[in-house]
Amino acid sequence: MSVLELAGAGKEYAGGVVALRDVDLTIGAGEDLAIVGPSGSGKSTLLHLMGTLDRPTTGKVHIAGEDATALGDDALSRLRSRWLGFVFQQSYLADRLTAVENVAVGLLYAATPRRHRRRRAEDALDRVGLGHRRDHLPHQLSGGERQRVGIARALVNQPALVLADEPTGALDQDTGRQVLALFRDLHAQGTTIALITHDPIVADTFSRRVEIRDGRITP
Ligand code: ADP
Ligand code: ADP
């Protein structure tokens, strides 16, 4: 069964901008996919549809076999938090929470009993190589470390698919490379990843690439 399937998905924003047209895309368990395209081509719109953060104006989105377009908002949030993890350009950590507490935020909507949450968050921090920083606040971490905390928060619920939107976009080149290497390690350990980038060099490090131009996937 596919983890995610878009069928004829399109998006027209209020005001008439058609950002995405007729996108067919299937992601299977274990894949690592880069979605590449220039600025304004529709990448973020696509990620929002894939992540059920926004609804398509045409077509369907299936997550783990379930038709997300048929669900109401509450059921959709449950589907999203059960199957998907998100990483963005900014890590969006809470300033006053430690690294491990920020990671545990990823379990807020999960069925994990409270007493297991810290352990699960610690395990996720270990997976991104930050076990030794668990009690640091965000301002005590470097930019790359903050992004890794954000990645641990995306992983803590053991999502079927991690969606990453320009996760190295705010980092310097070396730190960006380290974060990409982390994604490669996570993929090697079985995490399914779809990553959006405008950078063809970043895209080249993924096994499968999909290119988007003017809101369409190029053949
Ligand atoms: P990318 O991520 O590749 O830069 P986007 O998906 O952000 O592309 O944008 C695709 C197109 O949709 C652009 O023309 C952009 O201006 C337009 N767009 C994006 N978001 C909105 C919105 N909320 N309302 C109207 N137009 C939008
Ligand atoms: P980089 O140059 O790689 O972005 P920094 O110079 O910001 O990294 O930090 C180097 C190391 O020192 C990091 O591992 C970070 O966690 C640690 N560090 C930075 N600032 C503080 C602080 N105020 N308190 C504790 N540790 C810190």
Side-chain angles (χ1 to χ4, degrees):
M1 184 178 62
S2 61
V3 176
L4 180 143
E5 187 177 350
L6 300 187
K11 180 71 184 181
E12 177 174 349
Y13 286 110
V17 177
V18 179
L20 220 55
R21 282 175 210 272
D22 203 24
V23 170
D24 295 321
L25 179 65
T26 301
I27 302 177
E31 282 202 81
D32 66 315
L33 167 73
I35 297 166
V36 64
S39 176
S41 58
K43 300 184 298 300
S44 288
T45 301
L46 178 59
L47 186 116
H48 282 94
L49 297 192
M50 291 166 74
T52 75
L53 298 168
D54 199 0
R55 293 174 185 274
T57 42
T58 66
K60 298 267 187 211
V61 178
H62 282 83
I63 306 289
E66 186 157 7
D67 182 358
T69 39
L71 299 179
D73 288 347
D74 289 349
L76 197 56
S77 319
R78 282 195 297 276
L79 183 79
R80 190 187 305 128
S81 54
R82 162 129 193 246
W83 297 106
L84 303 176
F86 293 90
V87 180
F88 297 99
Q89 184 166 337
Q90 305 295 330
S91 47
Y92 299 113
L93 304 181
D95 297 340
R96 291 164 186 275
L97 300 184
T98 63
V100 71
E101 288 165 351
N102 266 289
V103 173
V105 167
L107 290 169
L108 270 182
Y109 301 101
T112 313
R114 187 176 289 270
R115 67 186 183 282
H116 292 153
R117 288 185 183 185
R118 186 172 170 99
R119 180 77 226 142
R120 290 272 299 274
E122 287 173 355
D123 289 346
L125 268 184
D126 286 342
R127 287 190 68 195
V128 302
L130 280 185
H132 61 303
R133 298 271 182 240
R134 62 176 63 131
D135 297 321
H136 284 50
L137 291 167
H139 78 269
Q140 297 170 318
L141 300 172
S142 70
E145 289 171 334
R146 285 196 291 270
Q147 188 58 303
R148 285 195 276 158
V149 174
I151 294 169
R153 183 184 51 198
L155 292 172
V156 71
N157 208 21
Q158 296 171 307
L161 174 65
V162 172
L163 291 166
D165 193 356
E166 300 274 8
T168 62
L171 303 174
D172 64 55
Q173 218 175 33
D174 276 355
T175 312
R177 270 196 216 106
Q178 289 163 22
V179 166
L180 276 179
L182 171 61
F183 277 111
R184 270 197 296 282
D185 288 348
L186 294 170
H187 174 249
Q189 294 161 27
T191 305
T192 308
I193 299 169
L195 179 143
I196 287 196
T197 180
H198 67 277
D199 185 345
I201 295 169
V202 169
D204 275 347
T205 64
F206 285 71
S207 321
R208 181 178 167 207
R209 285 170 296 280
V210 162
E211 192 173 340
I212 176 163
R213 295 248 166 206
D214 295 329
R216 290 178 192 276
I217 284 185
T218 62

